């Protein structure tokens, strides 16, 4: 029923760029906050970015601020993560997630998200 499917991951050299996409289906996500999280090998999952339904409010982890940009196209039920100036430490599995239909703002907490994608691998090489 409810599905969030990430795409766009891959291998890129340090300093390069990638754009991740996440398409949602199974219910109306138009009023939900959408977010991106990532988990590197041997590390805990961490918040990356979030965007509210109206695309006005966003939040970014300090580690990606100024390099990553989150956006969404509600007509396409899709959220994007544009990643520029990639670093080795950006290597991780990236997950998209969605909150409930209740407005929660650009949430940073995993517990605020109830729907999760399967993840897409991003690997940065030197």
């Amino acid at each position: 029923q409810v599905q969030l499917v990430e795409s766009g991951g891959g291998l890129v050299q340090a300093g390069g760029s990638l754009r991740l996409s996440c398409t949602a289906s199974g219910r109306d996500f138009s009023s939900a906050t959408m977010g991106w999280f990532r988990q590197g090998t041997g590390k805990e999952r961490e918040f990356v970015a979030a965007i509210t339904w109206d695309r006005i409010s966003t939040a970014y982890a300090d580690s990606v601020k100024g390099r990553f940009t989150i956006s969404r196209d509600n007509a396409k039920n899709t959220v994007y993560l544009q990643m520029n100036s990639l670093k080795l430490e950006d290597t991780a599995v990236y997950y998209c997630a969605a909150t409930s239909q209740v407005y929660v703002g650009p949430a940073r907490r995993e517990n605020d998200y109830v729907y999760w994608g399967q993840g897409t691998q991003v690997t940065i090489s030197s």
Side-chain angles (χ1 to χ4, degrees), residues 38-114:
R38 68 186 183 185
Q39 185 169 24
T41 301
K43 299 181 179 180
E44 296 183 347
R45 187 160 59 188
E46 65 176 351
F47 170 79
V48 176
I51 184 169
T52 56
W53 70 271
D54 55 9
R55 298 165 291 139
I56 294 176
S57 297
T58 58
Y60 296 93
D62 288 341
S63 59
V64 307
K65 193 174 300 181
R67 299 188 298 119
F68 290 10
T69 302
I70 188 170
S71 61
R72 68 190 294 171
D73 185 338
N74 289 347
K76 297 181 178 180
N77 300 314
T78 300
V79 62
Y80 306 94
L81 185 68
Q82 179 66 46
M83 305 186 294
N84 299 326
S85 302
L86 285 162
K87 305 175 180 179
L88 291 177
E89 49 265 44
D90 294 320
T91 295
V93 176
Y94 284 71
Y95 300 88
C96 70
T99 65
S100 70
Q101 301 299 86
V102 177
Y103 178 76
V104 295
R108 296 172 177 267
R109 302 184 307 168
E110 290 186 36
N111 200 39
D112 286 324
Y113 294 83
V114 295

Side-chain angles (χ1 to χ4, degrees), residues 6-13 16-21 36-41 67-68 81 83-84 86-95 119-125:
E6 302 96 335
S7 62
L11 175 66
V12 64
Q13 290 187 343
S17 299
L18 280 176
R19 189 181 74 162
L20 305 183
S21 299
W36 288 94
F37 292 77
R38 68 186 183 185
Q39 185 169 24
T41 301
R67 299 188 298 119
F68 290 10
L81 185 68
M83 305 186 294
N84 299 326
L86 285 162
K87 305 175 180 179
L88 291 177
E89 49 265 44
D90 294 320
T91 295
V93 176
Y94 284 71
Y95 300 88
T120 185
Q121 177 69 48
V122 172
T123 303
I124 313 302
S125 63

